[in-house]
Amino acid sequence: MNDDFLKSLFEAAIAAADPFRILPGHLPPQPAGRTVVTGFGKAAARMAQAFEAHWRGPVEGLVITRYGHEAPCARIEVIAAAHPVPDAAGEAAARRILDMAHGLDAGDLMVCLVSGGGSSWFAVPAPGLTLADKQAVNAALLKSGATIAEMNCVRKHLSAVKGGRLAAAAYPAAIATLAISDVPGDDPSVIASGPTVADPTTFAMARGIIACYGIGVPAAVEDHLRNEMQETPKPDDPRLSRASYALIATPARSLEAAAEVARAHGVEPIILGDAIEGDADAVGADHAREVLNRIGQGSCVLLSSGETTVTVRGPGRGGRNGQYLLALALALNGHPAVSAIAGDTDGIDGS
């Protein structure tokens, strides 16, 4: 298999999550009042462009994406901020979105465009906390080896907007979330830390995660996580009664799109799963063993997606995708019958 074949699989997977292809089929009904578009994530700007291109009524709003990933919109403002550790630009933009939510009434509609990385860009500290508090905890979590679900549990409980709080702020307006999933299991409460859905996690769980990974936190964070009165909205919260949620793209659909291309080339696709988690070194070695066990059984391609983790122990530079690929290469030991590609949706993995 050559590089062009592998690239064609990756491109098919990306195309299956292209907002211009998938978003138009999920537009909500027109409201009697205003339509305000908000959003945050790696795909936020392109999702906003697609929404503008296909929405027939008046629209206004603001979305946040990473530096260098801005895209021009006519009516929806696009602001860039830092990822994966939030910065002041992201906090300021997120506060503006929260203000927009508070300004809506029952006849209005807030559309929330969510994609991977949204937690970092939609960052408003909970009362009594500062952005520096959140930055310190977030940076420690990223180095700890914690899973994305564990990270988001903690993030939600340090936030004024995550874990259903944005939907609660927009009530009694309707809120329609259109989401591109990048997390194992496609759980809406995990994608971008679930700002528009009920939160099944608790302060006690967040405290347990911090203790489990031995993370030192500022005193203000420790105090806040013991304030059970500030718990996130749960499934029976009436403020979430007008919120709808649509997963418009998922890793499983992207894997199937890649599999279709493989079949068209006469290559058997074997999907290992769309929710691969664990240490990047271990996952890379496991996949190498899977590949080597299939040598001599005919042409095939192994496909998978998920979110591995890296525990940082020194000053090295890189990321989980590069770490996975290096571990895979080391375990394959230059086998001439194997080619591989690993694509990270951050697009900046490594140096």
Side-chain angles (χ1 to χ4, degrees):
M1 299 178 197
N2 59 32
D3 290 348
D4 288 341
F5 171 74
L6 293 176
K7 286 180 182 178
S8 71
L9 300 185
F10 183 62
E11 288 166 356
I14 295 298
D18 185 342
F20 272 85
R21 296 186 182 206
I22 57 178
L23 190 145
H26 297 274
L27 295 178
Q30 294 268 356
R34 300 161 58 203
T35 299
V36 175
V37 172
T38 61
F40 22 86
K42 301 163 194 167
R46 187 160 175 82
M47 292 176 80
Q49 283 185 317
F51 190 93
E52 275 196 352
H54 293 93
W55 188 251
R56 298 307 173 205
V59 65
E60 58 190 290
L62 166 67
V63 300
I64 315 169
T65 193
R66 74 171 313 116
Y67 291 116
H69 284 62
E70 304 94 328
C73 291
R75 294 166 288 171
I76 301 170
E77 185 178 358
V78 178
I79 290 181
H83 174 273
V85 178
D87 65 0
E91 180 187 9
R95 288 189 184 279
R96 289 179 58 193
I97 289 176
L98 186 59
D99 288 342
M100 291 177 184
H102 284 305
L104 300 175
D105 62 31
D108 298 331
L109 168 68
M110 174 174 275
V111 177
C112 192
L113 306 174
V114 179
S115 55
S119 280
S120 298
W121 291 297
F122 196 46
V124 178
L129 301 182
T130 66
L131 180 62
D133 292 330
K134 292 199 68 175
Q135 288 171 327
V137 175
N138 201 42
L141 282 168
L142 288 166
K143 294 181 178 180
S144 70
T147 68
I148 186 62
E150 290 172 326
M151 291 184 201
N152 282 353
C153 171
V154 176
R155 288 166 173 166
K156 282 186 278 193
H157 287 90
L158 303 181
S159 173
V161 291
K162 296 178 172 69
R165 296 188 191 276
L166 178 61
Y171 184 81
I175 184 162
T177 303
L178 306 180
I180 294 176
S181 171
D182 74 330
V183 302
D186 306 325
D187 183 348
S189 71
V190 175
I191 301 168
S193 298
T196 61
V197 297
D199 177 29
T201 69
T202 65
F203 274 104
M205 293 169 69
R207 293 194 301 268
I209 291 164
I210 286 173
C212 175
Y213 291 98
I215 296 171
V217 299
V221 169
E222 188 171 342
D223 290 343
H224 174 75
L225 289 178
R226 297 193 179 281
N227 187 357
E228 308 288 348
M229 297 298 293
Q230 299 295 320
E231 188 57 88
T232 48
K234 302 309 176 195
D236 59 350
D237 194 309
R239 296 172 297 172
L240 305 184
S241 61
R242 300 200 66 204
S244 64
Y245 199 100
L247 280 170
I248 65 173
T250 67
R253 295 173 202 167
S254 287
L255 288 176
E256 185 51 42
E260 289 180 10
V261 174
R263 294 185 192 102
H265 282 80
V267 178
E268 178 191 5
I270 299 168
I271 297 177
L272 299 179
D274 67 336
I276 303 296
E277 293 185 280
D279 182 80
D281 283 337
V283 174
D286 286 345
H287 286 186
R289 284 191 290 272
E290 186 81 26
V291 169
L292 294 173
N293 287 337
R294 294 177 183 273
I295 298 296
Q297 298 180 27
S299 180
C300 69
V301 59
L302 306 187
L303 303 168
S304 70
S305 69
E307 192 143 17
T308 60
T309 55
V310 174
T311 302
V312 179
R313 298 186 176 89
R317 184 173 180 183
R320 55 198 172 205
N321 191 56
Q323 190 86 353
Y324 162 84
L325 196 56
L326 286 168
L328 180 79
L330 287 169
L332 290 173
N333 196 29
H335 198 293
V338 183
S339 298
I341 186 171
D344 192 303
T345 53
D346 282 340
I348 58 163
D349 192 75
S351 57

